[in-house]
Each structure stands twice: as C-alpha cells, then as structure tokens.
Amino acid sequence: MRGTVRIFWAAIFLLVSPQIWAQWLHPSSVPLPDTIIQGGWLFDGFSDQRQANPGILIRAGRIAELGVNPADFPLATTRLIVLDKAETILPGMFDLHAHYNLDLIDEGRVEEVIYNGALFLANGVTTTWSAGEYYPERVIAQRDRIDAGEAIGPRLFASGPYFGAFRCEYSVKVAADECIGWPNDITETEIRNEVDVWQRAGVSSIKIKQATPEEMRILIDQAHKHGMTTASHLANYNVEYDVDLQAAILMGLDRVEHQLTLGSGGERSAELPEVIDLMLEHEVYYDANLQMYGGINERRAHPDDMLWTNEAQYFTPYTQELLTARGDPPPESGAKEFAQRERELRLLYEAGGRDLLVVGTDEPVYTLLLPGFAYHRELWAMHHAGLPNAVVLQAATLNGARALGVHDRLGSIEAGKQADLIVVQGNPLQDIKAARHVNRVFKAGVEYDPQALLKSAKGKIGPNGPDDHADWVLHYRALRGDDLSQE
Ligand SMILES: [Zn+2]
C-alpha cells in the first residue's frame, strides 16, 4: 500500500517539479498503524457548524474514512484516540504570509526556520507559504529536511526571494533607487530566468514586491507558464512603484496582500466597489494581515485577546535583552487607516468573497512576538473585524489550501485527503480564541505533541551573544554575477 502511494505521488509530482514531490510523502519507512480518532466535535473546513465527530480513520497518512466504528477494527493493530467532549478537531491551518525572517540585531531580515517551524506546528499551523525570503536556501533546505523526515516542521511552501526591488529590503524607497538584486535595467530575459531558477528549486508560488507594472506583467506571465501562482504587496512607494490593483488583477495576479485600495477611506478608497467586483470575478485571494498592521495599538486596546502566553521565552537570553531594549516599533498603520483595512475585509466578505479570504500573519520579527503565535492574533483580529468564526476558520483551512492549489489533498476533513489535523480545547466556532489551545497536531497522520514542540524551541531563537551575529546579518545579493541561487 505504502509503495503504491509513493509511486502515485511521485509520478504526479515529477511531472510538475522534481523537488516538490517529496512534500507529499510520509518519510517514515515504518508503516504507521491505522488510527481512529473518535469523540469530541469536528469542524470540516467548510461548514458553518461543527458536528459530533463521526469517527475518523487515518491510514497511511491519509484520512481513509469518516463515520467508522472502532469495534469493526482489530484492537491489536489499531490505535484509538478518544477525544474529550470539550475538544474540537479541525483541519491543520495554513499561514499564507508566514515570514521566517527576523531582524534581531538591526542588520536586516534573515531567516530562522528550525524553531519558528516548530512554533508554527505547535500552534496548529501545518502548512506555511513564506511570502518573500532573504535567505531562500535556508527555507528550501529546511523544507527538504522536513520532507525527508530529518526535521520537524510544517509543510513548507517556499516562496523564493522577493521578485522586485524589495530584494534590497528597506534601502529602496523609490523606483529610481538602485538595487543590486533587482537592477533598474533588469531585462525581460533576466526576469523570466529568475522565475525559472526558483521554479526548479521547487517554488510553486512567488511574491512580487516593488516591481514596476511591466516587470509584474512579465513575472505573472512566466509564473503562470509553470503553473505557479503569484502574490503581491502593492503599495504606494512614492507613486513610482505603484501597480494599481485593478491592473494587477487583469494581469492575472492570484493573491493580494494587506489592503484593497491604497487609500485610508474617503476619496482615495473610492474604487473599492470596483476592486471587490473584479476580485470576485477573477477569484483573487486576499490576506489582510490585520494583526501586523494594528501592531502595538491593537495589542494595547485588546491585551487579553492578543497576548496570552510568554513568547519572549523562545528567544535566547541575549536576544531578549536586545529586543527589550529596542522596544515596540510604531504600528504600520494609524487608527483611521486600520479601520479602513477592517472595513475592506468585511466588505469583501459581505459582497460574496467568503471563499477568497485567507489567513496570513506577516510577522517579520522586530519585537518579542513570534509568527506562530501571531497566527492566533490574526484569527482574533479577523473575528473582531466582523467576520463570523466559521468564515475565519474556513479562511484558515480550506481557503489556504485552495490558494496554494493543494485543496485536492489538504484543507478539509474529507476521505482521501492527507491527515493534517489539529485538536483544540473548546469550541472555536463560539470563541475563536479556543483555536490557540492546541492539544494535538497531526501532519500526514503523524502526531506531534504541541508542548514538546514548544519546549524544543525555548531559549533557542537568535544569537547567543555579540560574537554570534554572523547568521543574523542580511547581505543583499547581486542578480548579476555572484547570485547564490545559481549554484
Ligand atoms: Zn510580508
């Protein structure tokens, strides 16, 4: 049976990309016993209600059947898990804006994949897409280690580096500024080559940020040639970098992040109804990243809803000192602009965009807060913006899988799908905060203990002292010449 599954997936994915296929295999050479999860409640990923758990049979890493009776299975070879009446089982959750990059020593954003991955998984996030990377080789190597069973973490969908001048992080302010990673005279051939290089590394979705309209058109075209999807941060970089969202949608952009208009209400947001119509027509996904834009303002306004555990303990003592000294940066958006972001999210939902909402944390780490926990701040913020909890949970599960094009295998609790499941304490349909109390996590049928994962990351993130900075410094890479991605 296992051999058949392996050959089946291998055959499918070798056609797409030789590097991706392993993402779907269970690495263990020892077959897992059949597992039945009974008791408690079940949210399937798309219904408005939870239902009494009918009994889930997990076989060879997949959900084999729903509605099974343990009495029909041999006790000696079947593992039985009985959930408590107060527990709810859900599909594993998706973070569609899961940065693994952290700026800990004021030397730029760099990736830390090992412990952040453990924290995502401990928080019930079984799949991440990383929305722009500065050290993509770290992300890809960790993805491959996880897929080979040599490391523990979520299903890691790499984005590759930023496609656009954000490769030079915040040093590029306007289009005229030069970036060695994305030169102003970049040619169409170079742009298409870049997409090809990262497609060969198994990237199935890219992030566009600070590209010109013409660059974006080429990027989307080349990505789509490979069956890859595209997401973009559109913003007002002193006008010159603007790609109008409606224009981007007509180019074929698959996902938009942060905001739907570049305004904060009033005249500058007047195009909102047309934008929403166009998003519905072209099925463009949206992750609003409210928790990041609300920042310190929202945490001050709703401390009990946004903070519930000591996240600082996962940093090294030295890093805790650095980040404490740095203090909270100002929020990314002021009150008026934040209210407009909430409004845009709510209006897209009310206009019929339920299936287009996805959850993304967008938490590059500048403070003592971490993306795995930020995920639950985002769920709460979406609820607080006026979305029903069932809609938020669908965004967190099935919609995330759809947006990544993997909904035939992930995102809901249905027979035939991969057994990526989480068990939480309480009813998240009634109180979204129940989703943050994760009792069990399964990925491809393998169970992970959230408490053990949390413990494994304690005191680990960041440099250990001033002599340990080397891995935490961002070096921009030239597109021409010594591009490490070409190795
Ligand atoms: Zn981001």
Side-chain angles (χ1 to χ4, degrees):
M1 177 63 194
R2 289 208 49 74
T4 316
V5 171
R6 276 171 178 270
I7 290 161
F8 174 71
W9 288 121
I12 299 262
F13 279 89
L14 281 170
L15 295 175
V16 181
S17 157
Q19 283 82 13
I20 302 181
W21 66 277
Q23 207 129 30
W24 303 101
L25 297 181
H26 181 260
S28 166
S29 52
V30 183
L32 292 166
D34 282 355
T35 300
I36 293 175
I37 305 177
Q38 66 165 172
W41 297 83
L42 177 146
F43 172 74
D44 55 20
F46 47 85
S47 302
D48 281 328
Q49 304 287 331
R50 61 177 192 169
Q51 52 173 304
N53 175 12
I56 303 166
L57 172 66
I58 300 172
R59 177 171 286 163
R62 293 160 72 170
I63 299 165
E65 208 181 324
L66 293 174
V68 293
N69 181 354
D72 299 336
F73 292 81
L75 270 177
T77 55
T78 308
R79 181 178 177 220
L80 183 62
I81 296 172
V82 182
L83 303 184
D84 188 89
K85 276 202 293 272
E87 288 181 312
T88 307
I89 188 162
L90 304 92
M93 297 188 285
F94 286 67
D95 189 338
L96 269 284
H97 203 128
H99 287 303
Y100 286 80
N101 50 49
L102 308 76
D103 178 346
L104 302 180
I105 58 165
D106 298 317
E107 293 284 353
R109 288 160 63 168
V110 302
E111 271 70 17
E112 191 293 312
V113 288
I114 297 169
Y115 302 109
N116 266 305
L119 294 177
F120 272 122
L121 200 57
N123 276 290
V125 178
T126 52
T127 302
T128 65
W129 178 74
S130 42
E133 298 155 6
Y134 285 101
Y135 285 93
E137 70 280 3
R138 293 186 188 177
V139 179
I140 285 169
Q142 181 69 356
R143 175 198 69 192
D144 293 343
R145 279 192 295 269
I146 291 169
D147 293 345
E150 295 160 12
I152 291 172
R155 292 181 196 270
L156 221 163
F157 287 83
S159 67
Y162 288 91
F163 288 76
F166 202 60
R167 285 192 183 185
C168 292
E169 215 202 12
Y170 301 103
S171 68
V172 170
K173 304 261 192 286
V174 297
D177 293 343
E178 196 44 88
C179 168
I180 57 167
W182 195 265
N184 285 336
D185 63 347
I186 191 167
T187 66
E188 175 162 353
T189 306
E190 285 173 317
I191 294 172
R192 292 189 188 275
N193 274 346
E194 269 299 286
V195 176
D196 295 354
V197 162
W198 294 100
Q199 186 270 340
R200 284 197 293 275
V203 168
S204 59
S205 185
I206 59 169
K207 162 80 169 234
I208 303 169
K209 185 168 180 178
Q210 289 181 224
T212 64
E214 180 58 9
E215 291 165 1
M216 179 174 281
R217 187 190 63 74
I218 298 165
L219 284 167
I220 294 173
D221 181 64
Q222 191 67 9
H224 286 181
K225 276 186 185 155
H226 291 302
M228 301 159 85
T229 59
T230 55
S232 186
H233 176 149
L234 305 167
N236 192 352
Y237 297 103
N238 291 8
V239 181
E240 291 171 86
Y241 267 110
D242 268 3
V243 181
D244 171 75
L245 176 54
Q246 297 194 51
I249 293 172
L250 294 173
M251 289 176 200
L253 183 70
D254 302 283
R255 303 194 298 281
V256 62
E257 302 164 335
H258 310 315
Q259 63 199 103
L260 298 185
T261 67
L262 296 179
S264 52
E267 210 176 305
R268 287 185 60 212
S269 293
E271 61 171 344
L272 185 59
E274 291 121 78
V275 165
I276 288 177
D277 283 349
L278 211 54
M279 288 182 75
L280 295 172
E281 186 190 336
H282 292 263
E283 296 184 15
V284 178
Y285 290 91
Y286 181 47
D287 66 304
N289 321 119
L290 294 176
Q291 72 89 27
M292 188 275 289
Y293 280 98
I296 184 67
N297 285 351
E298 289 302 292
R299 295 196 297 278
R300 273 188 195 132
H302 313 281
D304 299 340
D305 298 311
M306 291 221 145
L307 302 166
W308 64 98
T309 186
N310 174 14
E311 296 168 46
Q313 65 183 314
Y314 300 103
F315 294 95
T316 63
Y318 169 71
T319 306
Q320 290 180 36
E321 278 172 36
L322 293 180
L323 294 179
T324 303
R326 181 190 281 171
D328 278 305
E332 292 269 344
S333 63
K336 189 175 164 222
E337 198 186 322
F338 185 74
Q340 175 67 13
R341 289 170 194 276
E342 290 183 307
R343 185 168 164 265
E344 292 186 349
L345 176 64
R346 201 166 50 239
L347 290 180
L348 176 61
Y349 161 65
E350 287 169 0
R354 174 179 178 143
D355 293 345
L356 302 177
L357 310 178
V358 294
V359 179
T361 50
D362 194 14
E363 182 75 58
V365 176
Y366 301 114
T367 66
L368 288 157
L369 300 171
L370 286 157
F373 301 94
Y375 194 85
H376 295 285
R377 276 188 278 284
E378 185 67 16
L379 296 184
W380 183 84
M382 290 170 79
H383 154 87
H384 187 68
L387 303 186
N389 289 354
V391 171
V392 176
L393 293 172
Q394 182 191 327
T397 56
L398 187 57
N399 294 0
R402 282 194 188 123
L404 287 175
V406 295
H407 51 294
D408 54 336
R409 282 153 275 157
L410 294 173
S412 63
I413 304 184
E414 291 179 274
K417 289 206 174 176
Q418 295 272 315
D420 287 19
L421 304 163
I422 63 170
V423 175
V424 306
Q425 188 71 29
N427 180 5
L429 290 150
Q430 201 169 63
D431 176 6
I432 199 70
K433 288 186 282 182
R436 60 183 69 160
H437 301 295
V438 183
N439 292 340
R440 298 172 185 266
V441 176
F442 298 85
K443 200 185 84 188
V446 180
E447 183 170 2
Y448 301 93
D449 173 10
Q451 293 308 319
L453 290 169
L454 293 174
K455 205 171 153 206
S456 76
K458 252 179 211 169
K460 294 286 177 39
I461 296 175
N464 285 299
D467 300 333
D468 188 29
H469 281 193
D471 284 349
W472 303 93
V473 178
L474 171 60
H475 300 284
Y476 303 149
R477 292 176 198 187
L479 183 84
R480 295 162 184 157
D482 63 341
D483 186 343
L484 296 176
S485 69
Q486 309 284 344
E487 280 177 7

